[in-house]
Amino acid sequence: MTKISVLDLIPVASDQRVPEALASAREFIAAADRLGYHRYWVAEHHNTEAIASTSPAVVLANLGTATERIRLGSGGVMLPNHSPLIVAEQFALLEGMFPGRVDVGLGRAPGTDPITARALRRDMSREAVDRYPSDVIELAGYLGDVREQVDAGIFEKLKAAADLEHRPEIWLLGSSLYSAELAGLLGLPFSYANHFAMGQNAVGALQHYREHFTPSPVLDKPRAMVSATVLVADSLEEARALDLPTRVNRYELMAGKLGRLKSPEEAREFAERVEATEIWHRSSGSQHVGPIQLVANGIRALRDQTGADEIMLQANGHDVATRIRSITEIAEALELS
């Protein structure tokens, strides 16, 4: 079976504060580690009360202490928000904490609203955005993957860590052909953000990546991952009810008013007020929802359609018990070791 991993946005529920959300994430990562999932990734988000993962490196340093074997990484760090050296230092330090199991997933979106993006990036010019490929190459150099496009001497003067026994894996993330093509040209692994569910073509993106792949010092053949959202319950009706907070969150995101994750009861009341609107009809919940066999078959179909080497699952639900139930039943159905 293809490797299966998990993505955790570390949602803050309506009845939680950030410490409780982080405690829930700790329960979730410990379960994923125990159940045999390959990676645990968190994503960078800013200026929102809905998501607690503002700093992937900081939260991974904390949550990683609840694990023994699962890989730990970012899905992703939004590189234009940061200096490549700072990101390299952070993940080199994580590598020192959790040797041989650290990933650096990189994206180029701001991960926030325009005002916050300006506060983070300072330079909002087109030139700054266009630096993304060279920033990726620079970051890779600090972590020991020095490419011919750069002056190798700089990495003799600047180091991300005093020593680096294992090189963190660098992945490029994206929901467009741009990221797929760049990952291919640089010979890096590519993760397609299919969980965004924006009607784009995961099959085409992975095909584009493979067509442009050039072997590199770190990868001799393409390695592709694709993500999906899931929720498992006893029946399709129950699963849809438990997944309603996810649909409400997507509605709020599209409306520019994203709040904390509502309970199923709060989400039902909210949905009754907005269900006649155009945005509600355009919003959606999780992609694979229902009894375990239905969800497991959906994951297998995604694997077969895309030929992905790995599937990353974002388990949804208002409470951590719902999310852990989903990954537990999926682990059993897909026979994770």
Side-chain angles (χ1 to χ4, degrees), residues 218-239:
V218 296
L219 201 61
D220 60 356
K221 60 182 180 180
R223 190 194 311 167
M225 182 194 302
V226 63
S227 60
T229 50
V230 296
L231 192 148
V232 174
D234 289 336
S235 67
L236 183 58
E237 181 180 14
E238 180 189 3

Side-chain angles (χ1 to χ4, degrees), residues 95 111 129 149-150 156 202 247 317 329:
E95 176 60 42
V129 176
Q149 297 97 321
V150 297
E156 297 175 1
R247 184 173 182 182
E329 295 200 22

